[in-house]
Amino acid sequence: MGIQDTPRASRLHIGLFGKRNVGKSSLINALTGQEISLVSPVPGTTTDPVSKSFELHGVGPVVFWDTAGLDDTGPLGRLRVEATRQAVEKTDLALLVLTELPQEELTWLSLFREKGIPVLVVLNQCDRLAESSLLSDAISQQMGGLPVLCVSAKTGEGIPQLRQAIQEAVPDDFWDLTITGDLANEGDVVLLVMPQDLQAPKGRLILPQVQTIRELLDKKCSVMSCTVDCLPATLTALKTPPHLIITDSQAFPTVWALKPPESLLTSFSILFAGYKGDIQAFLDGANAIAHLTERSTVLIAEACAHAPLTEDIGREKIPRLLRKTIGQGLSFDFVRGNAFPEDLSPYDLVIHCGACMFNRRHVLHRIAQAEQQKVPICNYGVVLAYLAGILDKVSFAK
């Protein structure tokens, strides 16, 4: 990804769902005007969800998810369908692609509606279907009156209309959500305190830092950066205290002790808790820490599938701090990447990372799953602020 590119997690995720050989891959190619997805007449060519980043004219930066057929069979087929089901968790807009009257598609339509995912029904291969208008009417009737878009990925028929429908189906507030919200506005001086450690190898900034800097510059804020050890000198160099200080959550106690009284304080992880998820759910989850005992079990969920490093925040620092508070008997389980248990009942608390690698839909799905199972869920930054005793003093974006 180039520095000018929109991060994948901030793009609109469009999932294409349908039976084998309905032309999902061909439809992606037609929508983008590029051969970005493998096409074959052999059923089941797409075996696992495949993602492709693209700038879709009139819509903006998107990720297309090309999924396996909903009617795949056999032991491997069932695994592929399950992988397709998991792709639903990160889908902002679903294209349900058909070439005949719906069967399995009706079950999937119910799933999309249950999860609040907008759906466009697409009748593909209209160039070779007899009486496609009658077929589209019948499909619409079976799908509760949803309009059906007739297209041909082969000839291009209906593709402009499908692009327009995608543009109109994007939730109104999708592009409005910002990282810093009302905490920073034009003309504000914002100081970023960014420890450089093993989590940010030499020559690199971690993604939340990069995204936050870019947004603050877009807001026409004045942005300064320093490491924790340089914070006193940086504050001295400023003519007036910064309006906002954003720190790495691990440095909360140090930064809180040094910050000017008039400066607001938050962390990258807390900002991303609201940007990617539900900050109120995470704040409620923090209250569960007071009820943990040495018989409790906590699940730590990391979005990155990186190999754990020395002094890893999720695998070492947070568990050590919680055991210091609760007791050495406190147990922890760990999951990374897309792995996340369906059954959360063994856990007394879930603590999620900042999820800079996930899109918001994916994080909200996990929050909803935890809430349905009545398991509190929190976030790295919120937990660290709670343990530092300053959760009621840090600022949250609105």
Side-chain angles (χ1 to χ4, degrees):
M1 183 186 76
I3 194 170
Q4 76 279 9
D5 293 335
T6 301
R8 173 169 291 207
S10 300
R11 293 170 176 260
L12 179 76
H13 285 234
I14 303 174
L16 283 83
F17 302 86
K19 294 178 181 176
R20 291 173 291 177
N21 263 37
V22 296
K24 298 186 293 294
S25 301
S26 299
L27 194 55
I28 290 178
N29 293 340
L31 283 167
T32 62
Q34 298 183 24
E35 297 295 319
I36 65 173
S37 198
L38 179 64
V39 174
S40 168
V42 179
T45 298
T46 303
T47 57
D48 295 298
V50 178
S51 61
K52 304 286 184 179
S53 296
F54 194 79
E55 297 288 326
L56 190 61
H57 180 69
V59 177
V62 304
V63 172
F64 283 109
W65 283 96
D66 190 2
T67 63
L70 307 181
D71 58 338
D72 213 337
T73 58
L76 282 177
R78 286 192 290 273
L79 291 174
R80 292 166 183 162
V81 172
E82 179 56 31
T84 296
R85 189 177 299 275
Q86 291 174 7
V88 173
E89 298 173 8
K90 58 193 79 172
T91 297
D92 296 307
L93 172 63
L95 305 189
L96 196 51
V97 186
L98 306 90
T99 56
E100 59 187 8
L101 290 174
Q103 296 175 19
E104 291 93 338
E105 294 89 349
L106 294 174
T107 300
W108 288 79
L109 177 61
S110 297
L111 177 63
F112 298 139
R113 284 175 166 166
E114 175 190 328
K115 296 184 178 298
I117 299 173
V119 182
L120 294 177
V121 182
V122 182
L123 178 60
N124 195 18
Q125 303 177 9
C126 283
D127 55 302
R128 68 174 187 81
L129 293 175
E131 299 183 333
S132 58
S133 61
L134 292 177
L135 178 58
S136 68
D137 289 343
I139 292 172
S140 176
Q141 185 175 8
Q142 290 196 23
M143 292 194 155
L146 279 177
V148 177
L149 294 146
C150 292
V151 306
S152 169
K154 182 178 179 180
T155 67
E157 176 189 350
I159 295 300
Q161 289 79 9
L162 178 55
R163 289 198 192 100
Q164 180 64 31
I166 290 173
Q167 183 177 354
E168 294 172 357
V170 178
D172 292 337
D173 61 349
F174 184 85
W175 304 111
D176 296 337
L177 198 64
T178 65
I179 299 168
T180 55
D182 62 343
L183 293 182
N185 296 290
E186 183 174 347
D188 288 340
V189 175
V190 181
L191 175 59
L192 310 182
V193 183
M194 307 189 298
Q196 301 304 293
D197 52 21
L198 287 174
Q199 311 301 322
K202 187 174 181 179
R204 249 181 50 195
L205 297 175
I206 60 174
L207 185 58
Q209 295 169 349
V210 174
Q211 289 183 258
T212 303
I213 291 171
R214 175 56 194 261
E215 178 179 297
L216 290 170
L217 293 175
D218 287 342
K219 284 186 169 186
K220 301 190 182 304
C221 297
S222 296
V223 185
M224 293 191 67
S225 304
C226 69
T227 52
V228 178
D229 56 323
C230 294
L231 178 57
T234 304
L235 290 171
T236 300
L238 289 170
K239 181 184 291 187
T240 58
H243 170 73
L244 172 67
I245 299 176
I246 306 173
T247 181
D248 183 282
S249 296
Q250 299 172 72
F252 261 143
T254 302
V255 178
W256 175 258
L258 294 171
K259 87 169 190 70
E262 55 266 59
S263 298
L264 302 176
L265 175 65
T266 191
S267 76
F268 294 100
S269 186
I270 283 178
L271 290 177
F272 272 74
Y275 181 55
K276 292 297 182 70
D278 181 342
I279 188 63
Q280 188 57 54
F282 290 143
L283 291 172
D284 293 342
N287 295 326
I289 297 174
H291 303 288
L292 296 176
T293 71
E294 292 197 70
R295 295 187 297 276
S296 300
T297 302
V298 176
L299 176 67
I300 304 285
E302 303 167 290
C304 299
H306 65 271
L309 303 172
T310 302
E311 284 299 285
D312 185 85
I313 180 174
R315 297 198 167 235
E316 296 190 28
K317 292 184 179 179
I318 288 178
R320 183 168 61 240
L321 288 169
L322 281 172
R323 283 181 172 136
K324 183 178 179 180
T325 302
I326 307 301
Q328 294 304 308
L330 185 64
S331 299
F332 292 88
D333 286 343
F334 304 90
V335 292
R336 290 183 288 170
N338 289 319
F340 196 72
E342 286 292 328
D343 180 12
L344 297 174
S345 61
Y347 303 107
D348 300 283
L349 176 64
V350 176
I351 303 177
H352 208 290
C353 71
C356 60
M357 302 303 293
F358 284 175
N359 69 332
R360 190 164 192 261
R361 173 73 66 172
H362 199 166
V363 179
L364 290 175
H365 172 84
R366 290 187 170 184
I367 293 172
Q369 181 181 337
E371 289 180 337
Q372 288 167 5
Q373 298 182 40
K374 302 189 184 306
V375 177
I377 185 169
C378 202
N379 158 278
Y380 281 14
V382 174
V383 167
L384 290 169
Y386 176 92
L387 294 174
I390 61 171
L391 184 57
D392 61 333
K393 301 178 180 66
V394 298
S395 298
F396 301 92
K398 296 179 183 177

